[in-house]
Structures are given as structure tokens and as C-alpha cells.
Amino acid sequence: MIEKGFTKPTDRVMRLKSQIIHARPYVESERAVLATEAYKATEGLPAILRRAKVAEKIFNELPVTIRDDELIVGAITKNPRSTEICPEFSFDWVEAEFDTMATRVADPFEIPKETAAELHEAFKYWPGKTTQALAASYMSKKAHDCMANGVFTVGNYYFGGVGHVCVDYGKILKIGFRGVIEQAIKLLECLDEKDPGFIKKKQFYNAVVISYNAAINFAHRYAAKAEELARQESNPSRKAELEQIAKNCRRVPENPATTFWEACQTMWFVQCMLQIESSGHSISPGRFDQYMNPYLQADKSISRDFAQELVDCIWIKLNDVNKTRDEVSAQAFAGYAVFQNLCVGGQTEDGLDATNDMSYMCMEAVAHVKLPAPSFSIRVWQGTPDEFLFRAAEVVRLGLGVPAVYNDEVIIPALQNRGVSLADARDYGIVGCVEPQAIHRTEGWHDAAFFNVAKVLEITMNNGRVGDTQLGPKTGEMTDWNSLDDFYAAFKTQMAFFVKYLAEADNCVDLAHAERAPLPFLSAMVDDCMGRGKSVQEGGAIYNFTGPQAFGVADTGDSVYAMKKFVFDEKKVSMTDLKDALDANFGVALGESAQTSGGGTPSEEEVYAAVRKVLSTNSSVDVATLKDEVYRTLAAKDSPQSGSSKYDGIRRLMDSAECFGNDDDEVDLIARKCARIYCLEVEKYTNPRGGQFQAGIYPVSANVLFGKDVGALPDGRLAKKPLSDGVSPRQGKDAKGPTAAANSVAKLDHFIASNGTLYNQKFLPAALAGDQGLQNFASLVRSYFDHKGMHVQFNVIDRQTLLDAQKNPDAHKDLVVRVAGYSAQFVVLAKEVQDDIISRTEQTF
């Protein structure tokens, strides 16, 4: 037997989980009020010291909350799964949504009237003082225009903190916060006053000392709270737990951890305080199994069951973290996503297999808790044990969308290509959605922008115009193209133009964070900020990158191939007619489906008629071939020359072209070329921290939101419809099975997209059933990785379950699905995001 199954979670874990599932997210005001008071009191101080004083004020005065049943304590908010506001980054959008945030389509939050009043009063201080205001003042009008017209957005860090980092949890486990303070004091004493950087370094080390002294007090306040609760507790068992929690918080994270429980508490305090210091998301625990396993092995007094319960409690706490964004960004990050990526497996720094006991305990925790967080990932290489991959497959078929699977054989050389040493590249972790980084040595600025490749395609087809606005350069009218070379020349020129403004906008935001929001607490846990005497925002990390991500690659590749096939090669439609059809949205009114207009998706009767026609001439045909032939039959029936609707016929013809996702070299390599044009342009730029831009290809759920900014495309896609997600084929177009689809995706140049690529696959539950299903899954992953794919993740669920959850959300509150680089409760997603997930191809072996 390969399959082993999972044990049952404890009653405590189920009660803690219930608190999360049934929590009503609130906006709270305490952090905003405290931060504003600290800023008002420190107006004469340098930015780094002001930030230290902000951290000191918050750590010393934020309400202390210990929830029922908790063994691991430390909370950002009084209410479960709620959020604080960080006005030093931006605030206008919060006030604008006081009356609508509770009812908006994506990620609603309740804002009580008293909270709104407190925030309104605090916000009076902030006009002109935020990082967003400074960044906006630096940007050119053209950069603002590009964002306004849906080419790209830098909203992630424009309105909030950066995050997207994995700090050195192991360092704190070994030396504690007190050790960091001692390190800062020693470096202060060794400073050379003749050094031109003396003043800035002195300020940085003093800021570290202030922040970490306050962080120690934060933990001690939890010790005092636990002691208070213990005195009031009548249940002897809970009383003993609270007394031990108090002892733990008195000792750690001030001092090195000596037990596994202390190690768990230390890890969580670090995670919690990083969230409190800044509004950044994707603060990722990294290689949890590597820094936690030594404490598990050394603790001879702890039972395996209790150790597992502690790990489960950390999983619960990771789901307690929440974040609110503006209404538009909330749609792009739908599902209350916080992207705390926790990774296990892979290799050690010296190239040996890193799998250990904790790696498997983390999988058990996923099965016990069954909640969206953490974004659980595994690393796979040629030395990965089959047992590890089979066990991961058992987790995958739970239907939670995790683990995401990453290929060491691609990621390690991709990082080395960016200047990361071999040892550091082997020690990579995943942050955020899918972004690899050399952990606790990198300020990667991953997820720095969404870049809409399909929008650039549309602009190229309109000679640089968006509507009546000449947004990009004039590169020639589409109707004057005589070959695919003419298209590529225009597309490259437009891409270069818009990537230039993308880099400008990102760098403006980067500068604003360095000037107004350096983070001393975080920086002391990232190498080599302490050695360099500067924060990560000012270039203190060893490795510095900026990583904008693209989406719409498959749409672009399919569109270019369709033009090549039917306009240039077979000449079945003229470029003039295609342009007219695109301008007319193929004859379909906006907001109207192709079915109701008589175009696009064929009716049931048309499908049956086409199938009968195909089968009458083919006595034996597989499903994929049948599907292809049906589309071709329908396309021929409604060709431009014979159909009653010229535009409808053009759409059906273009839609019948071979698509990315079916292991067809001709179309796959066109998609590869379009993606490389973007990636190569991005890496020409550098950032203010002295690092390089590196491209990624992943969407979060922006393929749905920003699809609304894109008109009709030559692949037959109608205006405003969702775009393909990440490097995945377009929904429903990967018709030849999971291996063919994976082979297509592997043909993209994942090595150059070193900021991460995202590939979604969706399987019917029966496909992974039994030992054979696990073996098939493992074979698929290894084959895809042998072909040099970087990442893959899976939804294992049937369409009917998702449809039922749409109709009966109260009955499916615990249904978790993979959205993009994260999982979320299905019922909290906006309907259009739900529909996008439902529409993905259901694969089977």
C-alpha cells in the first residue's frame, strides 16, 4: 500500500479552526491610532528612528489578546481574522470605503461606526505624508496614464507595505532578540566616526535596539496576560497550559529556544510582529522544516502527538492573519489572501536531500487544519524520496489546492543566473504566490506589479492607441502588416515602451519606501543589513531584485498563432476583416454572451450535429481528436464566406486554431517567444537598491480583474472576459490531457522567468484515487519537471461540487480551493473568480 491516510486532529484544533471559519472580519483602529501618535511625537527624527518609535509604541500598547484554547499566543487584532490599518502607507481609500467595505464584492470587512470615527480622526494627520503620496509625486504623467489604462499596476506596494520576504527565523531561535540587541550594540561600538556612513549606520543600529527592546516587552505582556488568565482559570488542565504559556513568553523570543514548544512560540512571535510593523503581505515562514526540526529532535520530553498539535496550532494562527486592500486590489487578491508561504523538502546547502520528520508533520498539519493558510509548498529534485512525493499526492487529493510543487532543477540555476551563490540558491524558499528567493538574504520586491501582456497585444493591434488616446508609440496599423515579422517588430517596440514606464513606476514606489518607511525590526533578520548598517529598503540585503509579473501569455500566444494560421498562411480571413471583427467584439454586445447573440460557443444542437457528422466519417476517434474535429466542423459551417454573421464566422474560425496546452510545438513556441519578449525587456532595468529587475509570470487572480481592460482578441476571446491564469493554457483549451498540457507549459523559458511562474491544473477526484492515482500523479510531476517546468499546483474537485457551493454557500464554508498562488475559502470569492475556477479544464489520466 502506498497510501497511508492521515490521523484525526485533536478537539482543540477543531475548536480553533471553527473560530476561524465562522469569524466575521473586522477593521480595527488601534494600530492606526498608535502609529499616528508616534509619528506626531517624532517629527524631528530621521525616518529610521521614527519607524523604530512607531514599532516601540505599537509593541508596548497594542491590545494583548489570548484566544480560548490557544497554546501558541500572539495576535495582531482583538477579533479573529480581522485587520489593522497602516495609514503611513496610504489611507484615502480606507476612508472612501467606510460605507461600502462591508458590502463590496471581494473580501468585505465590517467597520463599526466608532472604529470609522477613530480612523477618520487619525487620518487627518496623513495627507501628503504617506509613501503613496511620495511615490505618486515622483511618477511621470505617462506612468500614471499607463496604470489608468490597464497596462500595469503597482498598487500592491503603492498602497501598502512591501513584505514578500523570508527572514532568519533560525537566527532568533538560536540567539533570541537579546542576541540581536547585543549584536547591534557591538556594531555600534565598532563604528568608525571617520566613515562617511557613520551617522546613518548609527541611526540604524539604535533603531534596531529600540525595536527589539519593545519586541521583548510585547512578549512579556503576553506572559503577564497568561498569568492573569491562569489566576482566573478554574479548569486545572487549562490553568496549567496558561502557566506554561506564561513561562514560554517570559523566556522567548528574548532568549534562545530550549524546547520545541518554545521554538514554536518564538517562530510565531516573529511572524506576528513582522505583520504588526508593516502592512506588507507575503511575509513567508520559508523552510519551516529546516529550522524547526532540530528543536523537535532535541526535545526528548515532548510526545509526537503534542508536537503535532503545536504545529497544527501554528497553522491555525497563520489563518488568523488578515489584510484589507482597496476595492480594486481586493478583486485582484480575492479570498482574503495573505500569502504566507511555508516550504518543505528540497536540498540542503551542500546538495543533499533535506526531507526530515518535520516535512511530514507539516503535511499532517495541512490535513488536520484544512484552511487556506499557510500557502504550503514542497520542493522536488532528482533526489526527492518517492515516499515524500506520494505523501504530497495524498495531501493534494484532499482538494485544498496544496501543496504547490517546485522544481529545484530549474529554480536553483535560475537563481544562480541572477548572481545568487550555489549554496544560497540551494537554500531557496518560496515567498508569496510562487516567487523563489535565497531566504533571509533577499529583498526581492516580488509581486512588484501586474503587467498585462494581452493589453500590450491589443495596443499593438491599434497602433499604440487605447480608444482615442495615443498611449504608446505609433508602430503601424494592423491592417498594414504583411507578415508575422511585422507584428513582432511592432509588439517589441510597444513592449519596450510600456516596460520602461513599469520600471519607472516601480522605482518611484521603491524610493518612497526607502525614504519614509524603512523597517528596522524586519531588517535585523535579513542578511546582511546588520553588517552593512542599513535597512532592506535602503539596500541592506545581500540580494536585491524587483519582480513584476505578467499574465495573459497564453491569450497572446494563441492570438498570434491564430493570425499566423488564418491570416498569413492560409489567408482565410483578411487582416482588415479581422480588425473590423475585433473592433466590433465579433458582433457581440458588451455584457452579452456569445450564446445569446448566436455566436461563440455552439448550442447543444450544433454540437450534437457536429459530433454525428464527425462519427459518421470516423469509426474510432479519441475524445481530444473528437473535440478538435467538432470545433473545425463548426468553424467551417460558419466561416466568413458562408455564415449569416460575418463577425461570428470570423470568431469561430479564429477560435478553431490549435491552442497552447496541447503539446503542439508550433503554437507553444509562439507563446514562448511572446513571454520571452516581456522577460528580456524587464531584465534590462535596475532598482534604487542596486539590484536587477527579474520577470515572473503569474496572475494572483488579476487575470479576471484585468481581463476587463482588454478588448476582443484574435484567438476568439470576447472583450472583458478573463484572461488565462499564469502560464496555464486558456480555460478549456488544453484538450489532450494533463501530460500534453504540462509539456506545453514546460516549453516556456522558466529559467529566465526567475521571479516565478504559476501553472494550475485541475483534476477530477477519481483521477488520483487509490495507489494508482498517487503513482500517476508522481509520474506527471517528475515528467513535467524533467521537461524543465518550474512549478505546478492542483485543484482536485469536480465541477458539480463547485456549482453547489455557489448555490449553497452556508453548506460549504470549509471548502478550500486553489485560486492562483494561494488557496482560499471558495464561498468568500467573488462570483467571477469562482466562475473562472469552475471553467478550468478538468483533467484525468
Side-chain angles (χ1 to χ4, degrees), residues 522-820:
L522 180 151
S523 297
M525 290 181 278
V526 175
D527 298 338
D528 189 26
C529 292
M530 293 295 279
R532 297 177 179 182
K534 60 172 67 173
S535 69
V536 291
Q537 290 72 32
E538 300 163 294
I542 294 173
Y543 305 113
N544 288 279
F545 299 104
T546 299
Q549 70 269 21
F551 55 91
V553 168
D555 306 86
T556 302
D558 286 351
S559 292
V560 176
Y561 177 76
M563 287 192 292
K564 176 183 183 299
K565 180 179 178 69
F566 293 122
V567 178
F568 296 124
D569 292 350
E570 299 181 7
K571 303 187 186 306
K572 288 187 175 180
V573 62
S574 72
M575 192 63 85
T576 299
D577 284 345
L578 176 59
K579 181 68 169 66
D580 290 344
L582 295 173
D583 290 345
N585 193 31
F586 295 107
V588 179
L590 291 179
E592 182 182 8
S593 69
Q595 293 96 315
T596 57
S597 70
T601 303
S603 69
E604 191 172 288
E605 292 75 13
E606 288 176 312
V607 172
Y608 286 152
V611 170
R612 282 194 298 272
K613 180 179 179 181
V614 172
L615 292 179
S616 68
T617 56
N618 294 275
S619 59
S620 178
V621 62
D622 62 41
V623 174
T625 303
L626 178 63
K627 182 175 179 180
D628 288 348
E629 290 300 322
V630 167
Y631 273 111
R632 291 180 191 280
T633 301
L634 292 170
K637 179 177 91 65
D638 288 302
S639 65
Q641 292 77 20
S642 63
S644 58
S645 168
K646 178 179 179 181
Y647 295 150
D648 175 48
I650 291 174
R651 177 172 184 252
R652 292 194 178 181
L653 179 68
M654 302 302 283
D655 185 58
S656 72
E658 293 82 356
C659 296
F660 176 75
N662 297 288
D663 201 10
D664 183 311
D665 277 351
E666 190 173 11
V667 64
D668 294 346
L669 294 180
I670 285 177
R672 174 188 170 97
K673 182 172 183 176
C674 293
R676 278 180 57 85
I677 289 169
Y678 168 74
C679 293
L680 290 170
E681 197 61 43
V682 165
E683 66 180 34
K684 293 177 181 178
Y685 292 89
T686 56
N687 61 42
R689 292 167 282 111
Q692 184 185 22
F693 275 65
Q694 59 171 348
I697 308 175
Y698 55 95
V700 192
S701 55
N703 61 302
V704 178
L705 173 65
F706 292 104
K708 297 175 183 178
D709 292 317
V710 180
L713 296 178
D715 60 5
R717 172 194 163 277
L718 296 174
K720 298 185 179 294
K721 296 298 182 182
L723 298 165
S724 57
D725 64 275
V727 295
S728 306
R730 290 189 293 145
Q731 295 91 330
K733 295 298 185 180
D734 43 347
K736 294 186 177 179
T739 303
N743 287 346
S744 288
V745 174
K747 291 172 197 172
L748 300 175
D749 192 347
H750 297 267
F751 291 93
I752 199 172
S754 51
N755 192 52
T757 64
L758 186 152
Y759 177 31
N760 275 311
Q761 279 204 332
K762 181 178 173 186
F763 275 92
L764 292 168
L768 271 67
D771 283 0
Q772 188 61 54
L774 299 180
Q775 290 174 324
N776 288 344
F777 171 86
S779 296
L780 174 70
V781 169
R782 290 205 188 270
S783 173
Y784 173 58
F785 283 1
D786 284 345
H787 285 79
K788 304 310 178 189
M790 179 185 282
H791 156 275
V792 63
Q793 61 194 26
F794 304 89
N795 268 317
V796 180
I797 195 165
D798 64 90
R799 185 172 184 270
Q800 192 54 50
T801 299
L802 297 175
L803 290 171
D804 187 64
Q806 276 189 324
K807 294 178 181 177
N808 306 291
D810 288 343
H812 294 274
K813 283 188 175 182
D814 59 350
L815 176 60
V816 174
V817 297
R818 194 73 173 183
V819 181

Side-chain angles (χ1 to χ4, degrees), residues 225-363:
K225 183 69 173 179
E227 290 164 349
E228 174 192 335
L229 292 174
R231 288 192 296 270
Q232 301 167 3
E233 181 60 57
S234 58
N235 183 313
S237 176
R238 182 56 180 165
K239 184 181 185 73
E241 289 173 354
L242 289 165
E243 288 172 345
Q244 186 58 53
I245 288 169
K247 290 177 183 177
N248 290 346
C249 295
R250 287 286 176 207
R251 177 167 178 78
V252 296
E254 178 177 3
N255 301 294
T258 60
T259 68
F260 185 67
W261 196 348
E262 287 180 357
C264 290
Q265 184 61 69
T266 297
M267 177 271 162
W268 176 250
F269 266 137
V270 171
Q271 187 73 9
C272 177
M273 292 184 209
L274 287 169
Q275 303 281 358
I276 290 170
E277 185 189 29
S278 156
S279 72
H281 66 266
S282 299
I283 294 171
S284 297
R287 304 190 74 185
F288 184 88
D289 58 342
Q290 301 305 296
Y291 57 78
M292 292 297 289
N293 193 62
Y295 294 88
L296 175 67
Q297 303 305 324
D299 192 341
K300 303 305 180 185
S301 64
I302 194 168
S303 71
R304 180 72 173 225
D305 288 345
F306 186 61
Q308 183 66 60
E309 188 173 42
L310 289 173
V311 175
D312 293 355
C313 286
I314 289 177
W315 252 241
I316 297 288
K317 293 298 288 184
L318 288 164
N319 284 276
D320 199 28
V321 178
N322 212 343
K323 178 182 172 72
T324 187
R325 304 171 179 85
D326 64 279
E327 185 171 12
V328 173
S329 297
Q331 293 180 56
F333 294 90
Y336 298 103
V338 188
F339 306 98
Q340 301 166 97
N341 208 306
L342 189 151
C343 187
V344 302
Q347 301 174 51
T348 62
E349 290 184 9
D350 54 357
L352 300 175
D353 185 61
T355 309
N356 59 39
D357 284 353
M358 185 55 60
S359 310
Y360 293 100
M361 288 180 69
C362 289
M363 294 191 196

Side-chain angles (χ1 to χ4, degrees), residues 69-305:
D69 283 310
E70 286 189 324
L71 296 174
I72 306 297
V73 300
I76 302 168
T77 54
K78 302 187 300 293
N79 297 292
R81 214 177 173 213
S82 294
T83 187
E84 292 281 2
I85 298 296
C86 301
E88 63 267 39
F89 299 103
S90 64
F91 69 94
D92 309 66
W93 62 271
V94 183
E95 190 142 34
E97 293 190 41
F98 276 165
D99 297 328
T100 60
M101 195 179 292
T103 57
R104 67 188 187 186
V105 171
D107 298 0
F109 283 82
E110 297 282 343
I111 307 182
K113 288 185 178 179
E114 59 273 20
T115 299
E118 290 167 354
L119 289 172
H120 173 74
E121 187 61 32
F123 290 165
K124 291 178 180 178
Y125 174 78
W126 287 105
K129 297 183 174 72
T130 62
T131 56
Q132 189 266 336
L134 184 60
S137 72
Y138 285 156
M139 287 183 207
S140 66
K141 182 179 184 301
K142 181 62 75 172
H144 283 289
D145 289 345
C146 290
M147 289 190 286
N149 283 282
V151 181
F152 61 80
T153 175
V154 294
N156 204 6
Y157 307 155
Y158 195 30
F159 296 115
V162 177
H164 287 84
V165 69
C166 177
V167 302
D168 197 347
Y169 297 86
K171 172 181 177 178
I172 305 304
L173 288 167
K174 290 174 184 175
I175 70 172
F177 287 174
R178 183 63 60 194
V180 175
I181 293 170
E182 291 170 358
Q183 183 185 12
I185 291 172
K186 187 177 293 185
L187 289 166
L188 262 172
E189 292 171 347
C190 294
L191 283 177
D192 180 0
E193 293 187 20
K194 297 177 183 177
D195 180 354
F198 169 77
I199 297 297
K200 295 283 286 183
K201 290 178 181 178
K202 180 181 178 181
Q203 291 170 354
F204 173 74
Y205 294 133
N206 280 326
V208 169
V209 172
I210 292 168
S211 299
Y212 277 78
N213 273 320
I216 290 170
N217 189 52
F218 183 77
H220 288 177
R221 292 174 64 218
Y222 271 90
K225 183 69 173 179
E227 290 164 349
E228 174 192 335
L229 292 174
R231 288 192 296 270
Q232 301 167 3
E233 181 60 57
S234 58
N235 183 313
S237 176
R238 182 56 180 165
K239 184 181 185 73
E241 289 173 354
L242 289 165
E243 288 172 345
Q244 186 58 53
I245 288 169
K247 290 177 183 177
N248 290 346
C249 295
R250 287 286 176 207
R251 177 167 178 78
V252 296
E254 178 177 3
N255 301 294
T258 60
T259 68
F260 185 67
W261 196 348
E262 287 180 357
C264 290
Q265 184 61 69
T266 297
M267 177 271 162
W268 176 250
F269 266 137
V270 171
Q271 187 73 9
C272 177
M273 292 184 209
L274 287 169
Q275 303 281 358
I276 290 170
E277 185 189 29
S278 156
S279 72
H281 66 266
S282 299
I283 294 171
S284 297
R287 304 190 74 185
F288 184 88
D289 58 342
Q290 301 305 296
Y291 57 78
M292 292 297 289
N293 193 62
Y295 294 88
L296 175 67
Q297 303 305 324
D299 192 341
K300 303 305 180 185
S301 64
I302 194 168
S303 71
R304 180 72 173 225
D305 288 345

